[in-house]
Amino acid sequence: MSQIIKTFMCVFLILFMTAATIGILTAYLQVLGAQDLQAQIVDEIENSDYAPAVVRECFANAEKAGCELTVTYYYEGGGTVCCTDSAFVATDVSSVTMARVELSFPLEIRLFGFSKRHSFTGYAK
């Protein structure tokens, strides 16, 4: 009888550890995907010299991936413009010296009930 209980506990623990490992690996892949998207967006903004059409496309890509994008333009004279939506992308980018790109995404591990919003920040110079 004790052998049946030990076997059941062993099988239960193996299944629990497998489910926990899958949840953690899924969260890790979410982080890697968001980090890759953020790096791609920074590169596209840098290479396009802050072109408004490219920034709008980056907003669309971030929305498609389930992320929120914020782009803050830093101008030569010291001013800043913060864009949180593709409809409000700055059109005057002639004196932009740098852009701060912040990508926010949901991070969750359902087995443990863990849910948090995480963000990556990068600068396009």
Side-chain angles (χ1 to χ4, degrees):
M1 185 66 166
S2 69
Q3 194 67 17
I4 294 172
I5 294 172
K6 288 178 185 177
T7 304
F8 175 74
M9 286 300 294
C10 183
V11 170
F12 175 75
L13 288 175
I14 288 173
L15 288 175
F16 178 75
M17 289 188 314
T18 302
T21 303
I22 289 171
I24 292 170
L25 287 176
T26 302
Y28 178 70
L29 290 175
Q30 288 175 347
V31 169
L32 284 180
Q35 191 175 22
D36 183 47
L37 179 63
Q38 190 263 346
Q40 178 186 6
I41 289 172
V42 168
D43 286 343
E44 287 180 9
I45 291 174
E46 280 181 349
N47 293 337
S48 71
D49 203 24
Y50 314 106
V54 173
V55 175
R56 284 188 194 96
E57 183 181 330
C58 291
F59 273 104
N61 291 341
E63 184 178 331
K64 199 181 307 179
C67 303
E68 294 177 8
L69 181 65
T70 302
V71 178
T72 305
Y73 293 106
Y74 293 93
Y75 288 93
E76 196 171 275
T80 62
V81 173
C82 184
C83 305
T84 57
D85 192 353
S86 63
F88 302 111
V89 173
T91 56
D92 179 27
V93 293
S94 59
S95 62
V96 172
T97 59
M98 179 174 59
R100 178 177 185 244
V101 178
E102 183 176 347
L103 186 74
S104 177
F105 64 97
L107 178 63
E108 57 185 40
I109 303 175
R110 293 185 182 158
L111 179 67
F112 300 125
F114 177 80
S115 181
K116 180 182 172 184
R117 202 105 186 123
H118 189 70
S119 63
F120 288 116
T121 303
Y123 292 91
K125 297 179 182 181

